């Protein structure tokens, strides 16, 4: 049994309460690790050291170029340890080793990209309308950043936040999901090896109320960057507003994946499967609403069900497995309850619809890949995020109706459009209200491409050059170069 402690000021340290909670392996359903149960006192200790590292000492006095080199070195260490870190993630969240190893091999790119960007952040000279003054802007780091993450891609989502935050010069306190804390605690040990001063990166594990709330409300935390459910995101947004803190929110989705009659059907069906069954549907960008044009509805359904039926379930470490377990027991139960809701709403069950009883699934938390046809967009199964391998197929007549259905949701994270008509591809990408639109592909992300949500799917953007700005604030400096003294009782 592994034991994981908090990471504060460069050292592993037990929680002040001395308590631990269990971390489960979703494939076996058994406890595999004990994780320190943090509390407000631990949050205070972590934020204090992060604040100290931000305001004085080696990190605070480093040039941006030196910071960038450290971040780059960290990327090299992640690449070196990718296999070990991916294996830990699989034990914690049950996603396929192939998926997590792929993510771990890609994560260094975030550190290389933002490490390189660290010393390219420039202010500007303002061409003032007033003579005798020189004015310029400085881009300054915000301070201590609270990084709060969910369980589905623990290290990748942490990297999306800390790479730009550190490049900007901030320090961070990470609160990983209570379901998947282990990989982050392994990962942060690499900071010392890379040469980061202690206190720049800290981790307090534990539950939302015990650790998340005090972290969000801590007076020395200047920004919260959160990925998780829209319910928690909205709550955190209120708390942040009460203290006028900066905030970025990456929340849920109910993304439409739209197949037009002129699409390459084989590619589109592959894209539909990738959109909903990859990662066992536990991805914020899941293409959980498949919109299919009337004239090809039967053909798409037939091909989709045939392909989905070939999916192999079982041990996430096996290279043969295509669908792994659901990460947490509560999530497993939530998915099954949504399947019942869809059945009761009158959706047509085309395949799946139960927990998986296949021998290769053992006692893990597996749900059969499930497809509902004849779904109406007003049904709860089409409006609420399930976060599991459950697809709703909705018919549409023409482009106008596809747009209407696609946008008829409180979310706006991603969307897929399958068509050979280039004009239609552009029209759809303009009319769909979501942060990302994929044309003839699905679930592609990059450190270079801005990512985030419209509407209830979030605030702000991660990735790309834009993301670093959300960890900076602008200061304007005025220098009198010879303007005469003026009437002190009027504005200059
Ligand atoms: P969640 O909102 O339950 O938890 C996310 C994190 O917030 C966890 O670390 C949790 O402990 C913490 N938390 C809970 N209550 C808190 C509180 N009151 N104050 C502060 N922190 C608190 O989400 P989850 O179930 O872990 O993750 C699934 C959700 O995440 C889905 O809705 C999914 O769509 C979303 N998600 C979004 C993206 C994206 O980039 N848009 C990516 C992955 C997941």
């Amino acid at each position: 049994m592994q034991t994981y402690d908090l990471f504060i000021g460069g050292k592993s340290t037990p929680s002040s309460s001395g308590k631990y909670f269990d971390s489960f392996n979703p494939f076996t359903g058994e406890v595999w690790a004990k994780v320190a149960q943090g509390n407000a006192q631990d949050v205070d200790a972590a934020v204090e050291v992060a604040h100290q590292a931000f305001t004085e000492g080696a990190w605070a006095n480093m040039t941006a170029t030196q910071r960038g080199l450290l971040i780059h070195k960290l990327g090299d260490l992640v690449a070196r340890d990718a296999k070990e870190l991916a294996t830990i993630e699989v034990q914690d969240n049950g996603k396929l080793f192939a998926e997590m190893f792929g993510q771990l091999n890609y994560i260094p790119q975030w550190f290389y990209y933002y490490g390189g960007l660290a010393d390219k952040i420039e202010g500007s000279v303002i061409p003032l309308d007033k003579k005798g003054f020189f004015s310029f802007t400085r881009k300054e780091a915000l301070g201590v950043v609270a990084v709060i993450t969910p369980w589905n891609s623990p290290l990748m989502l942490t990297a999306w936040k800390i790479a730009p935050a550190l490049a900007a010069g901030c320090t961070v306190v990470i609160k990983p999901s209570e379901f998947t804390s282990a990989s982050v605690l392994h990962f942060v040990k690499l900071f010392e090896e890379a040469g980061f001063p202690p206190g720049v990166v800290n981790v307090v594990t534990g539950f939302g109320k015990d650790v998340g709330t005090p972290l969000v409300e801590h007076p020395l935390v200047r920004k919260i960057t959160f990925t998780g459910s829209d319910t928690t995101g909205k709550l955190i947004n209120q708390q942040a507003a009460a203290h006028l803190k900066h905030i970025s929110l990456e929340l849920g989705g109910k993304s439409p994946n739209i197949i037009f009659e002129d699409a390459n059907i084989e590619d589109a069906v592959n894209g539909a499967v990738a959109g909903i069954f990859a990662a066992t549907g536990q991805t914020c960008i899941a293409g959980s609403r498949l919109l299919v044009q009337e004239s090809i509805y039967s053909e798409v359904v037939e091909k989709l069900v045939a392909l989905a039926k070939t999916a192999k379930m079982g041990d996430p470490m096996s290279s043969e497995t295509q669908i792994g377990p659901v990460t947490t027991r509560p999530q497993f139960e939530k998915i099954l309850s949504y399947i019942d809701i869809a059945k009761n709403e009158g959706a047509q069950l085309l395949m799946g619809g139960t927990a998986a009883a296949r021998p290769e699934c053992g006692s893990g938390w597996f749900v059969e890949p499930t497809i509902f046809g004849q779904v109406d967009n007003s049904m709860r199964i089409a409006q609420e995020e399930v976060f599991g391998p459950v697809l709703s197929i909705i018919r549409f007549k023409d482009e106008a109706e596809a747009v209407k259905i696609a946008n008829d949701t409180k979310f706006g994270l991603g969307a897929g459009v399958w068509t050979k008509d280039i004009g239609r591809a552009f029209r759809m990408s303009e009319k769909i209200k979501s942060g990302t639109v994929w044309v003839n592909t699905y679930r592609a992300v990059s450190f270079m491409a801005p990512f985030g949500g419209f509407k209830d799917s979030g605030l702000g953007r991660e990735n790309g050059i834009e993301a670093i700005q959300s960890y900076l604030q602008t200061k304007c400096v005025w220098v009198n170069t010879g303007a005469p003294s003026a009437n002190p009782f009027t504005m200059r």
Side-chain angles (χ1 to χ4, degrees), residues 148-152 157 175-178 208 212-213 226-229 232 235-236 250-252 284 385 387 413 451:
I148 305 179
T149 52
W151 40 260
N152 58 334
L157 298 175
K175 187 230 150 319
S177 166
E178 56 273 33
T213 303
F226 171 83
T227 299
S229 63
T232 311
L235 180 70
I236 290 178
E250 296 290 353
L251 310 177
C284 52
E385 188 183 42
F387 218 60
L413 193 58
F451 180 87

Side-chain angles (χ1 to χ4, degrees), residues 227-283:
T227 299
S229 63
D230 61 316
T231 311
T232 311
K234 285 173 187 164
L235 180 70
I236 290 178
N237 198 24
Q238 283 171 6
Q239 290 160 341
H243 300 270
L244 284 182
K245 296 187 184 198
H246 296 252
I247 188 157
S248 312
L249 301 170
E250 296 290 353
L251 310 177
K254 197 74 198 176
S255 300
N257 204 357
I258 308 168
I259 310 182
F260 284 98
E261 60 193 0
D262 64 355
N264 176 320
I265 304 290
E266 263 68 37
D267 286 353
V269 165
N270 260 317
V273 167
I276 191 64
F277 297 129
T280 316
Q282 302 170 110
T283 153

